[in-house]
Amino acid sequence: MFLFGLGLFTVASLLGGMAQNETQLLLARAVPRLRKDRERLARLEELLAAMDDSSDVDAWSDANTAFHWECYEASEMPRVKSIISSLWTSVEPFMRLYATSPNGMG
């Protein structure tokens, strides 16, 4: 199979690339809504700070997931969110692996 010859980070990059277009679409719709929602913006800032301050992979991953889903919720595009959810399930284990790598959480 094609994927067996690839490294884990290459596979994660491929899966991430598939999600990139959908993510850009969601964010393009979400940003104008986020600008008007001060509570959600404050929550996003809290989540970013939690990711920056975290040295625990599970806490970082939880904050990262919550950050992205806050943004996706603001898009009000349930079908695209469903696609992202499917891709997220595929990519998330690789993101955790990356976070524990020497180049990960820094």
Side-chain angles (χ1 to χ4, degrees):
M1 180 178 196
F2 170 72
L3 295 179
F4 288 137
L6 300 176
L8 290 177
F9 298 120
T10 303
V11 173
S13 295
L14 288 171
L15 291 171
M18 287 188 282
Q20 186 174 3
N21 290 336
E22 288 82 1
T23 299
Q24 288 174 348
L25 176 63
L26 285 174
L27 291 177
R29 292 243 332 183
V31 167
R33 290 171 175 83
L34 289 170
R35 286 185 179 141
K36 298 174 186 174
D37 188 342
R38 295 200 185 272
E39 287 181 30
R40 188 169 265 161
L41 282 175
R43 172 81 174 128
L44 290 172
E45 288 178 2
E46 290 171 9
L47 291 167
L48 284 174
M51 284 187 281
D52 285 344
D53 296 341
S54 182
S55 60
D56 176 68
V57 173
D58 290 329
W60 178 88
S61 182
D62 291 346
N64 182 56
T65 299
F67 175 85
H68 283 85
W69 286 105
E70 281 286 333
C71 293
Y72 300 156
E73 286 295 325
S75 73
E76 298 177 3
M77 297 183 73
R79 287 187 180 157
V80 179
K81 270 183 17 193
S82 176
I83 293 167
I84 291 291
S85 179
S86 175
L87 292 170
W88 189 276
T89 301
S90 299
V91 172
E92 201 275 337
F94 296 105
M95 291 181 354
R96 281 182 183 267
L97 184 62
Y98 175 76
T100 61
S101 75
N103 296 326
M105 292 173 42

